[in-house]
Amino acid sequence: MKKEKRYLVPGDYMADPAVHVFNDRLYIYPSHDWESGIPENDNGDHFNMKDYHVFSTDDPMKGEIVDHGLVLTTEDIPWAGRQLWDCDVAEKDGKYYMYFPLKDQNDIFRIGVAISDRPEGPFIPQPDPMHGSYSMDPAVLNDGDGNYYMYFGGLWGGQLQRYRDNKALENGATFPADNEPSIPGRVAKLSGDMLQFAEEPKAVVILDENGQPLTAGDNERRFFEASWMHKYNGKYYFSYSTGDTHRLCYAIGDNPYGPFTYQGVILTPVVGWTTHHSIVEYRGKWYLFHHDSVPSGGRTWLRSLKVCELEYDAEGKIITIEGLD
Ligand code: FUB
């Protein structure tokens, strides 16, 4: 379906938008791309981000997009190595918790937490990453019953293939055969103080139409990175990027842990290698926030934030949006 779309921050390169409604206002938490000169490779070294800005608006399609400035940089984080990738923010009891992936000084992705009294930051980081955290792309669901769940993980440069049963593999990394179940994303309930996992992370299993887990060879549908969770009509919609096939897809479940049954494509491939998103309801409308590399002339590491409305059909299926529009 052809949609009206808007670039949100034309003056800078921002990617990986996590968007939430706090105090009746939309807050946008993106990655901040820049030209670091690092050559492009499959490990994602060219995504060499080092800080975050926060943006907000009361009308994503037409309103002013307020830049709240720098809210966290790698210089503030005691355990920082490199690469501040996709973050997310959750509110609890008037405090705002930013979850950010960052490589430590051994070049291993961990997930850190930074805290603010305000949704626009600045955010003060905890001295250490979350215990037992690994890989990247954290997305947090506030389930509305006092429980918060973090979804995370990503393949290739995201390092998820280096772990099984929440432990680092001794041989480094293993990918399943094409006919074996794909490597799943992970989900874990957060502790009451929002600073740690309250449990061992579990697999986010996505089933096909026959109730079988999607296989590693099914790269048009299997999970790669960029988890997001939203609820619609009481169902849990887990959405994600398929990475090397460049789609945003989704699967529906009855509870935060799943399993989830594959449903279809939210966004067809955009200009650029990565695709990443969030889905949020605001003042009675649903929106898809994502990025592409059109304004940078296709440079995959210089991405720009975009928004358009998102619609469901009568059965609750998301109507597919064209990425190249
Ligand atoms: O921005 C760096 C990485 O690219 C993100 O963590 C992935 O989801 C992809 O968008």
Side-chain angles (χ1 to χ4, degrees):
M1 164 179 276
K2 194 165 173 62
K3 311 283 281 183
E4 182 189 350
K5 292 186 181 166
R6 178 188 190 193
Y7 283 105
L8 288 164
V9 186
D12 205 346
Y13 294 115
M14 301 279 163
D16 306 332
V19 181
H20 293 280
V21 181
F22 297 129
N23 310 323
D24 192 36
R25 191 166 172 85
L26 274 178
Y27 286 87
I28 305 167
Y29 302 95
S31 306
H32 186 192
D33 288 350
W34 66 297
E35 184 59 87
S36 70
I38 294 187
E40 185 169 6
N41 61 26
D42 283 349
N43 198 39
D45 289 336
H46 48 303
F47 298 113
N48 192 27
M49 297 85 94
K50 53 188 174 48
D51 59 41
Y52 294 122
H53 283 231
V54 173
F55 299 86
S56 70
T57 185
D58 61 7
D59 180 355
M61 297 306 297
K62 304 249 183 281
E64 182 189 5
I65 308 297
V66 176
D67 182 354
H68 297 281
L70 273 184
V71 298
L72 182 66
T73 79
T74 48
E75 288 173 14
D76 304 326
I77 302 167
W79 53 276
R82 62 183 180 133
Q83 296 186 288
L84 210 40
W85 283 10
D86 157 59
C87 70
D88 196 11
V89 171
E91 183 272 344
K92 184 177 182 186
D93 298 334
K95 288 211 180 298
Y96 297 82
Y97 299 85
M98 172 178 273
Y99 300 92
F100 58 89
L102 176 68
K103 284 181 180 165
D104 65 14
Q105 287 154 12
N106 296 314
D107 232 25
I108 304 296
F109 266 119
R110 307 282 179 206
I111 297 173
V113 190
I115 305 172
S116 179
D117 292 329
R118 306 180 309 169
E120 67 269 31
F123 291 86
I124 310 299
Q126 295 292 105
D128 298 301
M130 297 172 73
H131 303 316
S133 65
Y134 57 93
S135 199
M136 38 51 111
D137 282 1
V140 175
L141 171 74
N142 174 355
D143 205 12
D145 61 355
N147 291 313
Y148 293 74
Y149 299 88
M150 180 185 289
Y151 300 82
F152 66 95
L155 302 181
W156 297 16
Q159 304 181 342
L160 191 57
Q161 67 278 2
R162 299 186 184 183
Y163 297 85
R164 287 290 183 284
D165 301 324
N166 302 317
K167 297 203 172 43
L169 294 168
E170 284 184 9
N171 63 356
T174 310
F175 286 96
D178 279 0
N179 62 354
E180 292 177 342
S182 58
I183 296 174
R186 307 288 201 270
V187 55
K189 190 185 282 189
L190 294 178
S191 56
D193 64 6
M194 300 292 275
L195 300 180
Q196 304 293 344
F197 295 140
E199 60 188 4
E200 289 277 303
K202 303 174 191 336
V204 177
V205 175
I206 303 175
L207 304 175
D208 67 13
E209 58 284 4
N210 301 313
Q212 298 302 310
L214 295 183
T215 58
D218 189 355
N219 66 342
E220 300 265 318
R221 300 193 297 176
R222 62 91 173 89
F223 171 83
F224 187 99
E225 64 183 1
S227 298
W228 188 256
M229 174 60 77
H230 75 278
K231 289 166 77 174
Y232 181 74
N233 285 346
K235 298 280 187 194
Y236 292 78
Y237 285 55
F238 176 70
S239 48
Y240 56 95
S241 164
T242 61
D244 54 346
T245 54
H246 317 291
R247 297 160 146 201
L248 293 177
C249 294
Y250 74 110
I252 296 180
D254 293 326
N255 68 77
Y257 294 110
F260 301 92
T261 301
Y262 181 83
Q263 301 293 318
V265 176
I266 298 169
L267 183 71
T268 62
V270 296
V271 171
W273 199 95
T274 67
T275 187
H276 194 120
H277 71 302
S278 53
I279 295 170
V280 63
E281 185 181 23
Y282 183 57
R283 297 185 177 174
K285 289 184 174 170
W286 285 89
Y287 296 96
L288 174 74
F289 292 82
H290 70 101
H291 67 229
D292 70 23
S293 294
V294 170
S296 72
R299 284 175 289 172
T300 57
W301 59 98
L302 296 177
R303 300 160 294 176
S304 294
L305 290 187
K306 262 178 132 171
V307 64
C308 64
E309 283 189 36
L310 175 140
E311 291 170 271
Y312 303 84
D313 71 13
E315 276 75 52
K317 285 231 173 202
I318 293 175
I319 298 174
T320 302
I321 298 167
E322 292 297 323
L324 294 181
D325 284 347

